[in-house]
């Protein structure tokens, strides 16, 4: 980007049009005396790019910037900056009174390109830097070469390192992601808040809402049953009476059946006791079988089974182990190694691999550094051969020659200064002697005049003494006195400051001799310079430039390149040594050692070590498994022999060829029969004898059967009466009663009643009495049903009204709350999912950026150190080294002393300190220009504390190293000094002098390539 022109309608004392561009490769020098508006012009450029501070509340007890630069003579308060960026002509027009800004491209308004929220960030959009960052790098205000506070500048440099495009920094991106996590707009948050808070609140609300909805749903299910019950209550009331009659009949019939069952069971038990006694008599032999013998036989069979399983398992394990041994041997042979690898072989190869890899990685890095150094040298205008040729041409210089080359300009300046000082002293002494002579002549003239005045009375007295009434002596005395005074004055004129005149004459003679000696020294130095140029074979005007470029560019670059080449030779030797160190281990393989095979061979040796060990383990395991299999077979034969002997003791004898399993099966059958007989004798027979009814109890039971029969006859008679009642009008009632659902606590009993009384108006009511079928339920349950039927009849009427009121209230509540709860659940589930996805995405992005930023932040410090070192050498500083850390902390090396930035401010002179920080600013500006686009460099009197030599070196650095890449606008007030320095430059026409005219109608004027 290049600034072309600044049109000021009113800004402080300035008004008019001010050109800023001196064409590419030149430096624009705004050269005016103090108080002509140079610093105001630089403030106007800054204001046109970034605007001005106008908030008086933040200013407190100082004037805000907008008030400081109000037009002195009133009128419009604004300016327009014309610039070129990427081939596009832009104009930034600011009305500083109304605080408005427009950016124009041709006739189009492109202000919206630079909008960031509610503000228009023109400077940030064009330069990629904030105002603070621009003031710390490419903009040097008057007296502010030495900076303080580097946070903003660090951010700008990190933006270059992080993104390679200058849009943002990893730190800013991570901060933005953290801010996004802390500034989330959610459903449960009021305004912005943390996304974790949103997730916690959504989970809490969902838990509470789901609990409420589940409770409401459960209550609805319960209420649905009550609502269904209301419809069934009428049918249940009609069937209760029928249920009650059926239950009473069922109870009598159940009692009769129970009595009949007990009598039948008693008859069966008596018969079973007789049969059991006969069975025990037939199995007396089996009861004599011993329990100990059975246990021994069972234990022997169990041992046989265990031995058989063990033998099979061990045999299978031995086969598997043999197969694994064969497979391991096959893998071992497949590696094709000459011998078994050792730990030493593996360690030697691994060490050689690590050393070779480290050496290769360092060699690649140093090759890149070497290429970069050669490229940098080419950027300075030298190929490597040209640089070595130039260094060789100056290689035979003596120390005196080098001193003459390094100090020629300084010595010439000193000689010239001494000559001028001596000439000034001679002029002063000559002027003093002239003053003395004029004083002497003045006194002599005054004495002569007095003598002439005194002679008048004497002459009058001599000529008129005859006619005078008084004595002529009265007239002669004053005249004589005046003549005497005049003679004294004349005599004093000869002696007036005669001693000072003599001293001045002596000093003039001495100064003349000194001046002749200085002229001789100048001629001698000129002759020595001509001789040196002749020895080196170059023209005198080019000699100093060649030597300066040798010292500033060629010698540091060649020293750096030679160091890199030496390091590359060392690394090559390290690679060779690493291969030689693993020569013994390489005897494992059939080829020659090679660096590119080290990694593969290390892995192969590791694999071979494991394969060999696995083959050894597999062989040992196979031998052990085979031995265990043989032992298992021997133990199996022993256990089979013991089992045959145990079966024989239990009465089961086997032939030699008969399987052992058949004998075990026969033994189990005998054991089962014996156990059954024992159970029969000891348990079943006593239980059956005890269950037989006593004669008295059996008699009472038979009496009870007769009484129940009488009750059933009575109930049949009552049934006939009921039939007559139903025949007279109970059919409808029976039909109505039978139409009930039978649901409820006594629904099963209702079914029985309907089965008993259905069709009661038919032919024979007695045929409907339930006699033959056995009741499905016990008497106690029938009594419980009768009691429950009575209780339900009492509570039914009261419960009906309560259920109706409760159902109506619940339905109203459900219709009001259920939709609201379901909508809340859906909203909070969506908000929870959105918040969790947002948090996962932001956390993933933040962690990834943090990891990448750590890897890239190391790069910019080294690049900045290299660039700044070049600038420092170009300025001719005596500081040997200037380095930055990642936070722009400065370390200096001067001689053998290393100091930090704060120490340097106390130990260096103002000129030396300005040179260090100016080199740092130039390095930072170049680095930022490489990543953010070419930045214009604005310098307000940066050489105010520099001596003449550093001034010339600084101007040459700006012309040669900075101006070809960046626009440079330099402001200064020492006109005579800069004119002299401009005359020392060979390409002085590239330092274009601009003038700042002050006034309502004045424009800035520019001087071209001639002398200023």
């Amino acid at each position: 980007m290049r600034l072309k022109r600044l049109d000021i309608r009113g800004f402080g004392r300035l008004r008019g049009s001010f050109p800023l561009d001196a064409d590419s490769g030149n430096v624009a020098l705004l050269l005016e005396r103090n108080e002509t508006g140079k610093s105001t012009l630089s403030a106007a450029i800054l204001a046109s790019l970034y605007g001005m501070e106008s908030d008086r509340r933040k200013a407190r007890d100082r004037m805000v910037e907008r008030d400081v630069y109000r037009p002195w003579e009133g009128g419009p308060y604004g300016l327009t900056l014309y610039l070129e960026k990427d081939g596009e002509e832009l104009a930034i027009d600011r009305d500083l009174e109304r605080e408005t800004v427009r950016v124009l491209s041709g006739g189009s308004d492109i202000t919206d390109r630079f909008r960031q929220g509610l503000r228009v960030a023109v400077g940030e959009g064009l330069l990629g830097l904030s105002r603070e960052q621009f003031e710390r790098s490419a903009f040097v205000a008057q007296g502010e070469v030495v900076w303080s506070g580097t946070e903003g500048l660090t951010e700008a440099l990190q933006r270059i390192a992080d993104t390679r495009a200058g849009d943002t920094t990893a730190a800013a991106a991570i901060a933005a992601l953290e801010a996004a996590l802390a500034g989330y707009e959610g459903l449960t948050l009021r305004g912005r808040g943390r996304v974790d808070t949103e997730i916690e609140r959504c989970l809490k609300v969902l838990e509470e809402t789901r609990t409420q909805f589940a409770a409401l749903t459960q209550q609805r299910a319960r209420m649905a049953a009550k609502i269904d019950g209301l419809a069934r209550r009428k049918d249940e009331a009609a069937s209760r009476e029928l249920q009650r009659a059926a239950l009473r009949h069922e109870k009598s019939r159940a009692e009769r059946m129970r009595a009949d069952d007990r009598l039948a069971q008693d008859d069966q038990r008596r018969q079973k006791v007789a049969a059991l006694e006969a069975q025990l008599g037939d199995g007396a032999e089996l009861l004599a079988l011993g329990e100990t013998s059975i246990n021994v036989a069972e234990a022997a069979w169990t041992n046989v089974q265990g031995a058989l399983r063990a033998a099979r398992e061990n045999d299978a394990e031995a086969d598997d182990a043999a197969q694994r041994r064969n497979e391991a041997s096959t893998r071992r042979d497949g590696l094709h190694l000459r011998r078994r690898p050792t730990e030493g072989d593996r360690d030697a190869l691994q060490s050689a691999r690590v050393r070779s890899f480290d050496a290769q990685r360092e060699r690649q890095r140093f090759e890149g550094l070497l290429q970069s150094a050669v490229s940098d040298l080419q950027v300075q205008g030298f190929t490597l051969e040209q640089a070595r040729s130039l260094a060789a041409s100056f290689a035979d210089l003596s120390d005196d020659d080098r001193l003459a080359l390094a100090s020629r300009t300084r010595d010439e300046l000193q000689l010239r200064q001494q000559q001028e000082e001596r000439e000034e002293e001679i002029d002063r002494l000559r002027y003093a002697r002239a003053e003395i002579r004029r004083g002497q002549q003045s006194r002599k003239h005054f004495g002569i005049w007095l003598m002439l005045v005194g002679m008048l009375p004497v002459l009058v007295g001599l000529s008129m003494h005859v006619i005078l009434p008084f004595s002529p002596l009265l007239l002669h005395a004053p005249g004589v006195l005046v003549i005497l005074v005049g003679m004294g004055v004349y005599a004093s004129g000869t002696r007036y400051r005669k001693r000072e005149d003599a001293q001045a004459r002596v000093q003039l003679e001495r100064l003349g001799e000194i001046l002749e000696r200085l002229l001789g020294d100048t001629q001698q130095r000129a002759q020595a310079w001509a001789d040196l140029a002749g020895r080196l074979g170059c023209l005198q005007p080019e000699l100093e430039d060649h030597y300066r470029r040798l010292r500033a560019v060629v010698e540091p670059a060649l020293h750096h390149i030679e160091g890199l080449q030496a390091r590359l030779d060392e690394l090559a030797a390290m690679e060779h040594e690493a291969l030689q160190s693993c020569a013994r281990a390489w005897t494992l393989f059939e080829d020659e050692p090679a660096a590119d095979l080290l990694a593969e061979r290390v892995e192969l040796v590791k694999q071979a070590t494991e394969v060999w060990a696995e083959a050894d383990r597999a062989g040992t395991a196979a031998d052990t498994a085979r031995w265990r299999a043989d032992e298992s077979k021997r133990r199996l034969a022993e256990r089979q022999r013991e089992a045959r002997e145990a079966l024989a003791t239990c009465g089961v004898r086997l032939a030699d060829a008969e399987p052992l399993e058949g004998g075990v099966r026969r033994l189990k059958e005998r054991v089962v029969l014996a156990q059954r007989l024992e159970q029969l004798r000891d348990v079943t027979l006593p239980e059956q004898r005890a269950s037989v009814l006593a004669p008295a109890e059996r008699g009472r039971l038979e009496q009870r059967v007769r009484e129940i029969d009488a009750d059933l006859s009575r109930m049949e008679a009552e049934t006939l009466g009921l039939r007559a009642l139903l025949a007279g009008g109970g059919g409808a009632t029976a039909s109505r009663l039978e139409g009930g659902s039978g649901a409820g606590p006594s629904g099963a009993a209702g079914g029985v009643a309907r089965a008993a009384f259905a069709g009661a108006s038919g032919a024979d009511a007695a045929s409907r009495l339930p006699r033959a079928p056995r009741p499905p339920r016990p008497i106690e349950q029938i009594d419980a049903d009768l009691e429950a039927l009575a209780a339900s009849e009492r509570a039914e009427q009261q419960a009906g009204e309560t259920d109706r009121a409760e159902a109506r209230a619940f339905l109203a509540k459900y219709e009001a709350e259920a939709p609201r709860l379901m909508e809340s659940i859906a909203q909070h589930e969506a908000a929870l999912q959105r918040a969790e996805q947002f948090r996962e995405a932001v956390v993933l992005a933040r962690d990834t950026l943090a990891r990448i930023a750590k890897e890239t932040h190391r790069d910019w410090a080294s690049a900045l150190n290299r660039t700044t070192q070049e600038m420092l050498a170009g300025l001719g500083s005596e500081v040997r080294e200037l380095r930055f850390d990642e936070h722009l902390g400065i370390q200096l090396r001067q001689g053998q002393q290393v100091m930090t930035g704060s120490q340097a401010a106390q130990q260096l002179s103002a000129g030396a300190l300005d040179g260090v920080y100016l080199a740092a600013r130039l390095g930072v500006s170049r680095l930022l220009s490489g990543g953010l686009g070419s930045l214009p460099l604005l310098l307000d009197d940066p050489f105010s504390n520099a001596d003449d030599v550093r001034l010339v070196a600084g101007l040459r650095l700006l012309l040669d190293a900075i101006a070809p890449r960046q626009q440079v606008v330099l402001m200064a007030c020492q006109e005579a000094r800069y004119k002299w320095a401009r005359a020392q430059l060979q390409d002085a026409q590239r330092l274009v002098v601009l003038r700042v005219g002050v006034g309502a109608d004045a424009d800035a004027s520019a001087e071209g390539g001639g002398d200023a």
Side-chain angles (χ1 to χ4, degrees):
M1 187 179 81
R2 299 191 69 85
L3 307 179
K4 295 296 186 179
R5 189 177 79 254
L6 180 63
D7 290 349
I8 299 179
R9 298 186 294 276
F11 192 88
R13 66 183 299 168
L14 297 180
R15 183 176 298 170
S17 181
F18 299 87
L20 302 175
D21 194 10
D23 296 332
S24 178
N26 296 338
V27 173
L29 174 61
L30 298 178
L31 190 60
E32 287 288 355
R33 66 183 186 279
N34 284 328
E35 303 301 327
T36 56
K38 298 184 304 302
S39 299
T40 304
L41 182 63
S42 64
I45 297 173
L46 194 63
S48 64
L49 290 172
Y50 291 97
M52 304 179 71
E53 178 188 5
S54 60
D55 191 349
R56 295 183 176 86
R57 294 174 297 178
K58 296 181 180 179
R60 295 185 180 179
D61 56 349
R62 62 179 178 83
M63 292 179 64
V64 296
E65 188 180 12
R66 190 163 68 98
D67 294 338
V68 171
Y69 291 104
R70 285 188 177 278
W72 288 12
E73 299 178 0
Y77 188 13
L79 43 79
T80 302
L81 177 64
Y82 296 91
L83 56 92
E84 178 186 356
K85 181 173 176 62
D86 298 330
E88 184 179 12
E89 299 288 341
L90 302 178
I92 306 172
D93 183 79
R94 288 188 182 271
D95 188 329
L96 301 176
E97 186 65 46
R98 294 184 295 177
E99 299 184 11
T100 60
V101 60
R102 291 191 309 156
V103 183
L104 304 175
S105 176
S108 303
D109 190 334
I110 60 170
T111 310
D112 290 339
R113 284 192 202 172
F114 305 95
R115 291 194 182 277
Q116 296 181 2
L118 299 178
R119 61 188 293 264
V120 179
V122 180
E124 290 84 343
L126 291 173
L127 301 176
L129 300 174
S130 66
R131 176 167 179 162
E132 178 188 5
Q133 294 163 0
F134 186 53
E135 290 177 336
R136 293 289 188 275
S137 57
F139 181 86
V140 179
Q142 187 175 24
E144 296 182 4
V145 177
V146 180
W147 64 45
S148 61
T150 60
E151 292 77 7
L153 190 55
T154 304
E155 179 184 353
L157 290 170
Q158 288 176 345
R159 181 179 303 142
I160 302 304
D162 288 347
T163 65
R164 307 299 180 191
D167 293 334
T168 186
T169 65
I174 292 173
L177 292 174
E178 292 288 354
L181 290 175
Y184 182 76
E185 292 185 357
L187 179 63
T188 64
L189 299 172
R190 294 182 178 178
R192 294 183 178 270
R194 297 191 61 81
V195 68
D196 292 335
T197 305
E198 169 74 2
I199 293 174
E200 292 174 1
R201 291 182 180 178
C202 285
L203 289 174
K204 183 177 179 181
V205 172
L206 282 173
E207 182 180 1
E208 295 175 353
T209 309
R210 287 170 178 166
T211 302
Q212 294 176 7
F213 187 73
L216 195 63
T217 304
Q218 293 175 0
Q219 189 177 0
R220 179 189 178 187
R222 293 193 299 270
M223 194 57 62
K226 289 187 178 182
I227 293 172
D228 293 339
L230 289 173
R232 293 193 301 268
R233 278 195 177 92
K234 292 184 179 181
D235 295 336
E236 291 174 355
S239 64
R240 283 192 193 95
E241 189 65 29
L242 182 61
Q243 291 177 17
R244 188 179 294 108
L247 287 172
R248 287 197 299 266
H249 183 273
E250 184 183 4
K251 180 179 180 181
S252 298
R253 188 164 56 87
E255 289 179 354
R256 169 62 188 273
M257 288 184 177
R258 179 181 291 182
D260 291 341
D261 290 343
R262 290 190 66 188
L263 290 173
Q265 289 174 2
D266 188 60
D267 292 339
Q268 293 174 359
R269 287 168 184 163
R270 289 177 185 275
Q271 295 174 3
K272 192 172 183 179
V273 167
L276 291 175
E277 290 175 348
Q279 188 177 354
L280 286 174
D282 297 337
E285 181 184 357
L286 291 175
L287 289 174
L289 186 61
E291 182 177 356
T292 303
S293 299
I294 294 173
N295 293 338
V296 170
E298 290 177 349
W301 172 241
T302 302
N303 292 336
V304 169
Q305 290 178 325
L308 180 60
R309 287 193 301 270
R312 291 174 179 172
E313 292 174 357
N314 290 334
D315 198 22
E317 183 179 352
D319 293 341
D320 292 341
Q323 182 178 359
R324 287 194 296 271
R325 177 170 59 185
N326 294 335
E327 293 174 354
S329 299
T330 302
R331 289 195 298 271
R332 180 189 62 194
D333 297 339
L335 297 176
H336 304 293
L337 297 180
R338 293 180 176 178
R339 57 180 175 84
R340 179 170 184 164
T342 64
E343 293 292 332
D345 295 334
R346 185 182 65 184
D347 294 342
L349 289 171
Q350 179 66 24
S351 176
R353 174 194 175 189
V354 172
R355 292 165 58 191
S356 177
F357 176 76
D358 292 342
Q360 290 177 359
R361 183 179 60 188
E362 285 295 302
R363 177 168 54 80
Q364 293 173 358
R365 186 170 71 86
F366 277 95
E367 286 175 351
L369 293 176
L370 180 61
Q371 183 63 33
S372 177
V374 173
S375 299
D376 292 342
L377 188 60
Q378 291 177 348
V379 170
Q380 297 295 332
F382 290 94
T383 63
L384 185 59
E385 292 74 13
Q386 291 174 344
R388 287 174 174 169
S389 175
L390 181 61
S393 65
F394 286 90
D396 298 332
L397 291 177
S398 64
D399 293 339
D400 293 338
D401 294 337
R402 293 181 179 274
L403 181 61
L405 286 169
S407 61
R408 178 177 181 266
T409 302
R410 183 191 62 193
D411 293 344
E412 286 182 353
L413 290 175
Q414 290 178 353
L415 286 173
R416 184 178 300 171
Q417 184 177 2
Q418 291 177 3
Q419 291 176 6
E420 291 176 354
E421 290 176 353
R422 300 302 177 268
E423 290 174 353
E424 289 178 358
E425 291 182 7
I426 290 173
D427 292 340
R428 180 177 58 80
L429 291 174
R430 287 175 177 173
Y431 178 78
R433 293 193 66 191
E435 287 292 323
I436 293 173
R437 292 191 187 93
R438 282 195 294 271
Q440 291 176 348
Q441 292 296 328
S442 176
R443 287 177 177 269
K444 289 180 179 180
H445 291 164
F446 185 67
I448 294 171
W449 181 80
L450 288 177
M451 285 189 290
L452 292 175
V453 171
M455 290 180 64
L456 289 175
V458 173
L459 294 175
V460 171
L462 291 175
S463 61
M464 300 182 66
H465 65 281
V466 178
I467 62 175
L468 289 176
F470 49 83
S471 174
L473 293 176
L474 295 176
L475 188 59
H476 294 165
V480 172
L481 182 60
V482 172
I483 290 172
L484 292 176
V485 172
M487 293 175 63
V489 170
Y490 182 85
S492 66
T494 304
R495 297 188 301 271
Y496 175 71
R497 298 176 64 185
K498 187 174 183 180
R499 184 177 180 181
E500 294 180 11
D501 184 56
Q503 292 176 350
R505 185 177 63 254
V506 172
Q507 290 180 4
L508 282 173
E509 293 175 355
R510 181 175 58 82
L511 289 174
E513 295 174 357
I514 293 174
L515 187 58
E516 291 178 359
R517 187 166 60 251
L518 289 175
L519 292 174
D521 290 342
T522 301
Q523 295 175 355
Q524 183 180 359
R525 289 179 183 276
Q527 184 61 40
W529 184 259
D531 296 341
L532 180 59
R535 291 202 311 272
L536 295 177
C538 62
L539 300 177
Q540 295 185 37
E542 297 177 353
L543 179 59
E544 184 178 6
D545 182 64
H546 285 178
Y547 184 72
R548 177 185 61 78
R549 300 187 70 185
L550 171 71
R551 295 290 294 169
V553 178
V554 175
E555 285 186 348
L558 288 179
H559 178 72
H560 183 50
I561 290 172
E562 290 171 359
L564 293 175
Q565 189 61 53
R567 183 57 179 161
L568 286 173
D569 296 339
E570 293 176 1
L571 293 173
M574 289 174 62
E575 290 187 46
H576 180 71
E577 182 183 352
L579 284 178
Q580 293 301 319
S581 66
C582 65
R584 182 181 178 280
W586 207 277
T587 57
L588 289 167
F589 317 111
E590 298 178 356
D591 52 4
E592 295 298 326
D596 55 347
L597 298 177
L598 277 172
E600 175 186 347
R601 297 302 164 84
V602 169
E603 296 300 325
L604 180 60
V605 169
K606 289 181 180 179
Q607 180 184 359
T609 303
E610 296 175 357
V611 169
W612 244 278
E614 183 180 357
D616 294 343
R617 290 194 297 270
T620 302
D623 296 339
T624 303
R626 179 51 59 194
W627 177 83
R628 283 200 299 266
D630 295 340
E631 284 294 314
S632 298
K633 291 179 180 178
R634 184 186 62 77
R635 284 196 298 271
L636 176 61
E638 181 67 21
R639 296 293 182 269
Q640 288 176 343
R641 183 185 61 77
E642 293 175 354
R644 289 178 179 273
E645 293 176 355
L647 288 173
T649 59
C650 294
V652 179
R653 290 175 175 80
L654 301 175
D656 293 339
E658 185 178 359
L660 191 60
E661 288 80 356
V664 173
R665 186 168 56 254
R666 282 188 288 163
L667 176 62
K668 288 182 179 180
E669 293 173 354
R670 291 173 62 84
V671 169
V672 170
L673 292 175
Q675 290 176 346
R676 289 177 180 174
L677 291 175
E678 289 178 355
Q679 178 73 15
L680 184 63
R681 181 193 62 189
D682 298 336
V683 179
T684 306
L685 185 58
E687 289 179 352
Q688 290 297 325
R689 287 173 178 171
S691 64
V692 174
L693 293 176
E697 185 177 358
R698 184 178 176 87
R700 288 193 299 271
L701 186 60
E702 290 175 349
Q703 179 63 32
R704 178 57 183 160
V705 168
R706 289 191 291 271
E707 292 175 355
I708 292 174
D709 287 340
D711 290 339
L712 287 174
S713 298
R714 186 173 61 254
M715 292 178 65
E716 289 175 358
E718 293 176 356
T719 301
L720 291 175
L722 180 60
R723 184 186 61 179
L725 178 62
L726 293 174
T733 303
S735 176
R736 179 177 55 83
L737 293 176
E738 190 169 358
S741 64
S746 57
V752 175
R754 286 192 297 274
F757 289 92
S761 60
D764 188 5
S767 65
R768 297 294 181 179
L769 290 177
R771 287 177 177 269
R774 184 173 182 175
R777 299 183 301 161
I779 296 174
E780 292 78 8
Q781 186 175 358
I782 296 173
D783 291 337
D785 286 346
L786 287 170
E787 184 178 356
L789 187 61
S792 119
E793 189 175 5
R794 289 191 302 268
E796 188 66 28
Q797 185 176 4
Q798 180 180 359
E801 295 299 328
T802 304
D803 288 348
R804 287 187 185 91
E806 185 178 355
R808 291 190 188 99
F810 173 75
L811 288 175
K813 176 182 177 182
Y814 186 84
E815 292 175 356
E817 295 185 3
R820 178 181 59 81
L821 293 175
M822 288 189 290
E823 182 181 1
S824 176
I825 290 172
Q827 290 178 348
H828 285 85
E829 284 178 345
L832 176 62
Q833 181 180 6
R834 185 168 60 253
E836 289 177 341
Q837 292 175 351
F838 177 81
R839 181 178 63 180
E840 291 175 0
V842 172
V843 169
L844 176 62
R846 180 195 63 191
D847 296 344
T848 304
L849 280 175
R851 185 181 69 255
I852 296 174
K854 288 181 180 179
E855 299 173 358
T856 56
H857 282 179
R858 305 187 189 100
D859 300 339
W860 62 267
S862 60
L864 181 58
N865 289 334
R866 183 172 62 252
T867 304
T868 306
Q869 199 68 30
E870 296 174 1
M871 300 301 174
L872 193 63
L875 288 173
S877 175
E878 295 181 1
V879 176
R880 292 174 50 191
E881 185 178 359
L882 170 62
R883 301 190 65 81
F884 292 87
D885 58 19
E886 292 187 1
H887 303 289
L888 290 188
I890 290 180
Q891 281 191 342
L892 307 177
R893 181 183 296 275
Q894 186 179 27
Q896 299 299 321
Q897 183 180 10
V898 178
M899 65 188 80
T900 63
S902 59
Q903 294 172 341
Q906 300 176 3
Q907 300 185 26
L908 296 179
S909 65
L913 189 64
D914 283 356
V916 168
Y917 276 90
L918 180 60
R921 283 180 178 272
L922 294 177
V924 169
S925 175
R926 173 178 289 184
L927 184 61
L928 290 176
S929 294
L932 300 175
S934 179
L935 296 176
L937 188 63
L938 305 178
L939 308 175
D940 191 352
D941 208 359
F943 303 111
S944 59
N945 294 321
D947 56 21
D948 293 341
V949 176
R950 288 177 179 169
L951 173 60
V952 175
L955 293 176
R956 187 176 293 115
L957 175 66
L958 292 177
L959 288 170
D960 296 341
I962 306 300
R965 302 185 182 187
Q966 298 173 251
Q967 179 184 7
V968 181
V969 179
L970 176 63
M971 304 180 187
C973 63
Q974 300 169 337
E975 183 173 355
R977 188 166 179 246
Y978 273 85
K979 285 184 177 181
W980 171 84
R982 187 167 179 263
Q984 309 307 309
L985 301 174
Q986 294 181 357
D987 47 358
Q989 71 278 1
R990 293 176 56 198
L991 186 62
V992 180
V993 179
L994 305 179
R995 295 293 183 180
V996 180
V998 180
D1001 301 321
D1003 292 341
S1005 59
E1007 300 181 16
D1011 294 338

